[in-house]
Amino acid sequence: MATGNSVALMIDPSPPRSDFAMPWDSPDETDPVVGLTEARRQLGDTFAVESGGVTYLFTFGEAGLRSFYAVEERVASKGLADYRMLVRKLPDELFVERRTFAHDLFGAEEVQGYLDNLDWAIDAEIEQLGDVGSLDVFDFSRRIGHRLGLGCWMGREAPIAELIPEFEILDGAEAFVHPERSSGATKDDERAALARVEHVVRALLARTDRRPSFLDDIARRWDDVPDPASGIAGDVVLLHIATMTNLFAALAWSLAQVLLHPTDASLEQCAFEAVRLGQRSIMLREVLRPFVFSDGRHEYRVERGVQLATMLPLTNSERLGATYTPDRWSDRSLHRDVAVTTFGHGPHRCPAQRFSVSAIVRTVDRLLSTYTMTPDFDEVVPMPSQIGGVARSATPCVVSYLRR
Ligand code: HEM
């Protein structure tokens, strides 16, 4: 449990301490961006938070961010910090003995294959949309994202419509989109959904009329196991959960902003700018061995168990403002600026960046060339409780469309 002096025990010298509580520990904490902005205004760029018995060292200044992104996994682990977040929502057994990781997905050759799947996914969704109607940008982006991801990881023969509700139950993002709901979760629903995905994987692997897909690559990693379906399903589920975390919402932000603010900038620049503004992510690293963390002003000896932390919405608008200006991304040095984060920096930067940007650009381009789209909303409002990933929208973002 937290005690008054545990910051002093865990971090030396002791930084200023905020009484902010992490939202998974305190249902009263309704908007972490507001709470942390206020703490920073009072205490400066580096301060400690104690919440739920854990000591967090938040850092927001440029030198502190540089140290944060440079830290090696064996010293302070992103994997362990992410696991602790996701396991509030997902069954523990899902994290045991994984054999396929997101880094395995994104070689140059694979990305080309995925883009073919993307065209297939867009065609299917456009067919569903028909000639005229209206859609919610965030709901639509989820549908297309599911179809793209599951088509890529499981092959186009996968019964995608049947799988989507299972993945909605398994959505790990719930742990940080609605952190206040995560305490007391039984995980029974998630276990049942996992079992149904395993059943689908088993049936799919038994089919002889399937075209080769990434599912076969995953299956090869399990070919020494007598009944590999559960291992293969676990790999597929975690890959798709990683896809759901950011890509669906980033696509929605990109489409929404392009519709609200037509521009001559490239769609790639639009995607980076939309992600900059939409980022709602906390970044965490769990200290595995005592080490010295420098924020440029102080050197802190940090003990094992401390969570190093920063939160992107606080820094992403600081220097560049909150106005949507996509052509600022013609300055390539922005991608290396640690005070502006879209896909991360250093050893943990996103392995799926190229895939994700291509997917966003292609989808937005196809939609805009197929339809005249008119937004029936003025802005995208981030879900206030969210403390991870790209923001989900707090209000509907409805668009009417008419085939050109
Ligand atoms: C527009 C969409 C996306 C955005 C904005 C995004 C953003 C990020 C960011 C900011 C990080 C760094 C996190 C940190 O330093 O703590 C990251 C890492 C990561 N992302 Fe993405 N991501 C996207 C799409 C995806 C997709 C589609 C996948 C997987 C299928 C994925 C898998 C990962 C993984 C596995 C890491 C951790 C890498 C490591 O620890 O070495 N991301 N992403």
PDB file of all heavy atoms in Angstrom, residues 29-40:
ATOM      1  N   GLU A  29     -11.257  10.154 -10.593  1.00  0.00           N
ATOM      2  CA  GLU A  29     -10.344  10.802 -11.546  1.00  0.00           C
ATOM      3  C   GLU A  29     -10.962  10.722 -12.930  1.00  0.00           C
ATOM      4  O   GLU A  29     -10.807   9.745 -13.646  1.00  0.00           O
ATOM      5  CB  GLU A  29      -8.986  10.083 -11.502  1.00  0.00           C
ATOM      6  CG  GLU A  29      -7.849  10.858 -12.110  1.00  0.00           C
ATOM      7  CD  GLU A  29      -7.696  12.252 -11.529  1.00  0.00           C
ATOM      8  OE1 GLU A  29      -7.348  12.395 -10.334  1.00  0.00           O
ATOM      9  OE2 GLU A  29      -7.960  13.208 -12.266  1.00  0.00           O
ATOM     10  N   THR A  30     -11.728  11.751 -13.315  1.00  0.00           N
ATOM     11  CA  THR A  30     -12.521  11.629 -14.546  1.00  0.00           C
ATOM     12  C   THR A  30     -11.769  12.051 -15.796  1.00  0.00           C
ATOM     13  O   THR A  30     -12.115  11.649 -16.885  1.00  0.00           O
ATOM     14  CB  THR A  30     -13.813  12.463 -14.432  1.00  0.00           C
ATOM     15  OG1 THR A  30     -13.451  13.739 -13.952  1.00  0.00           O
ATOM     16  CG2 THR A  30     -14.805  11.814 -13.495  1.00  0.00           C
ATOM     17  N   ASP A  31     -10.738  12.892 -15.664  1.00  0.00           N
ATOM     18  CA  ASP A  31      -9.986  13.285 -16.849  1.00  0.00           C
ATOM     19  C   ASP A  31      -8.502  13.395 -16.496  1.00  0.00           C
ATOM     20  O   ASP A  31      -8.048  14.410 -15.953  1.00  0.00           O
ATOM     21  CB  ASP A  31     -10.513  14.628 -17.396  1.00  0.00           C
ATOM     22  CG  ASP A  31      -9.873  14.956 -18.745  1.00  0.00           C
ATOM     23  OD1 ASP A  31      -8.728  14.523 -18.983  1.00  0.00           O
ATOM     24  OD2 ASP A  31     -10.521  15.637 -19.553  1.00  0.00           O
ATOM     25  N   PRO A  32      -7.734  12.335 -16.805  1.00  0.00           N
ATOM     26  CA  PRO A  32      -6.314  12.338 -16.411  1.00  0.00           C
ATOM     27  C   PRO A  32      -5.514  13.452 -17.066  1.00  0.00           C
ATOM     28  O   PRO A  32      -4.525  13.917 -16.488  1.00  0.00           O
ATOM     29  CB  PRO A  32      -5.800  10.966 -16.870  1.00  0.00           C
ATOM     30  CG  PRO A  32      -6.846  10.408 -17.773  1.00  0.00           C
ATOM     31  CD  PRO A  32      -8.139  11.080 -17.451  1.00  0.00           C
ATOM     32  N   VAL A  33      -5.934  13.924 -18.254  1.00  0.00           N
ATOM     33  CA  VAL A  33      -5.173  15.005 -18.901  1.00  0.00           C
ATOM     34  C   VAL A  33      -5.301  16.283 -18.068  1.00  0.00           C
ATOM     35  O   VAL A  33      -4.307  16.978 -17.812  1.00  0.00           O
ATOM     36  CB  VAL A  33      -5.659  15.236 -20.353  1.00  0.00           C
ATOM     37  CG1 VAL A  33      -4.952  16.431 -20.972  1.00  0.00           C
ATOM     38  CG2 VAL A  33      -5.419  13.987 -21.190  1.00  0.00           C
ATOM     39  N   VAL A  34      -6.510  16.541 -17.603  1.00  0.00           N
ATOM     40  CA  VAL A  34      -6.723  17.718 -16.756  1.00  0.00           C
ATOM     41  C   VAL A  34      -5.932  17.570 -15.449  1.00  0.00           C
ATOM     42  O   VAL A  34      -5.216  18.487 -15.021  1.00  0.00           O
ATOM     43  CB  VAL A  34      -8.236  17.917 -16.473  1.00  0.00           C
ATOM     44  CG1 VAL A  34      -8.452  19.013 -15.450  1.00  0.00           C
ATOM     45  CG2 VAL A  34      -8.983  18.224 -17.767  1.00  0.00           C
ATOM     46  N   GLY A  35      -6.041  16.414 -14.818  1.00  0.00           N
ATOM     47  CA  GLY A  35      -5.365  16.175 -13.529  1.00  0.00           C
ATOM     48  C   GLY A  35      -3.850  16.307 -13.653  1.00  0.00           C
ATOM     49  O   GLY A  35      -3.193  16.959 -12.823  1.00  0.00           O
ATOM     50  N   LEU A  36      -3.274  15.720 -14.699  1.00  0.00           N
ATOM     51  CA  LEU A  36      -1.812  15.750 -14.844  1.00  0.00           C
ATOM     52  C   LEU A  36      -1.327  17.137 -15.289  1.00  0.00           C
ATOM     53  O   LEU A  36      -0.242  17.575 -14.898  1.00  0.00           O
ATOM     54  CB  LEU A  36      -1.357  14.676 -15.842  1.00  0.00           C
ATOM     55  CG  LEU A  36      -1.465  13.241 -15.309  1.00  0.00           C
ATOM     56  CD1 LEU A  36      -1.272  12.222 -16.433  1.00  0.00           C
ATOM     57  CD2 LEU A  36      -0.427  12.978 -14.196  1.00  0.00           C
ATOM     58  N   THR A  37      -2.132  17.829 -16.098  1.00  0.00           N
ATOM     59  CA  THR A  37      -1.750  19.191 -16.511  1.00  0.00           C
ATOM     60  C   THR A  37      -1.680  20.096 -15.283  1.00  0.00           C
ATOM     61  O   THR A  37      -0.746  20.899 -15.123  1.00  0.00           O
ATOM     62  CB  THR A  37      -2.772  19.748 -17.542  1.00  0.00           C
ATOM     63  OG1 THR A  37      -2.809  18.854 -18.651  1.00  0.00           O
ATOM     64  CG2 THR A  37      -2.395  21.135 -18.017  1.00  0.00           C
ATOM     65  N   GLU A  38      -2.645  19.940 -14.412  1.00  0.00           N
ATOM     66  CA  GLU A  38      -2.678  20.746 -13.195  1.00  0.00           C
ATOM     67  C   GLU A  38      -1.470  20.408 -12.296  1.00  0.00           C
ATOM     68  O   GLU A  38      -0.808  21.296 -11.755  1.00  0.00           O
ATOM     69  CB  GLU A  38      -4.016  20.490 -12.467  1.00  0.00           C
ATOM     70  CG  GLU A  38      -4.218  21.238 -11.173  1.00  0.00           C
ATOM     71  CD  GLU A  38      -4.061  22.757 -11.307  1.00  0.00           C
ATOM     72  OE1 GLU A  38      -4.181  23.283 -12.422  1.00  0.00           O
ATOM     73  OE2 GLU A  38      -3.762  23.399 -10.270  1.00  0.00           O
ATOM     74  N   ALA A  39      -1.187  19.112 -12.169  1.00  0.00           N
ATOM     75  CA  ALA A  39      -0.042  18.695 -11.342  1.00  0.00           C
ATOM     76  C   ALA A  39       1.254  19.287 -11.905  1.00  0.00           C
ATOM     77  O   ALA A  39       2.107  19.798 -11.168  1.00  0.00           O
ATOM     78  CB  ALA A  39       0.042  17.171 -11.300  1.00  0.00           C
ATOM     79  N   ARG A  40       1.368  19.263 -13.222  1.00  0.00           N
ATOM     80  CA  ARG A  40       2.588  19.786 -13.845  1.00  0.00           C
ATOM     81  C   ARG A  40       2.713  21.299 -13.657  1.00  0.00           C
ATOM     82  O   ARG A  40       3.801  21.831 -13.450  1.00  0.00           O
ATOM     83  CB  ARG A  40       2.548  19.421 -15.328  1.00  0.00           C
ATOM     84  CG  ARG A  40       3.823  19.730 -16.050  1.00  0.00           C
ATOM     85  CD  ARG A  40       3.696  19.335 -17.496  1.00  0.00           C
ATOM     86  NE  ARG A  40       4.831  19.787 -18.243  1.00  0.00           N
ATOM     87  CZ  ARG A  40       4.817  20.018 -19.542  1.00  0.00           C
ATOM     88  NH1 ARG A  40       3.714  19.803 -20.224  1.00  0.00           N
ATOM     89  NH2 ARG A  40       5.897  20.426 -20.155  1.00  0.00           N
TER      90      ARG A  40
END
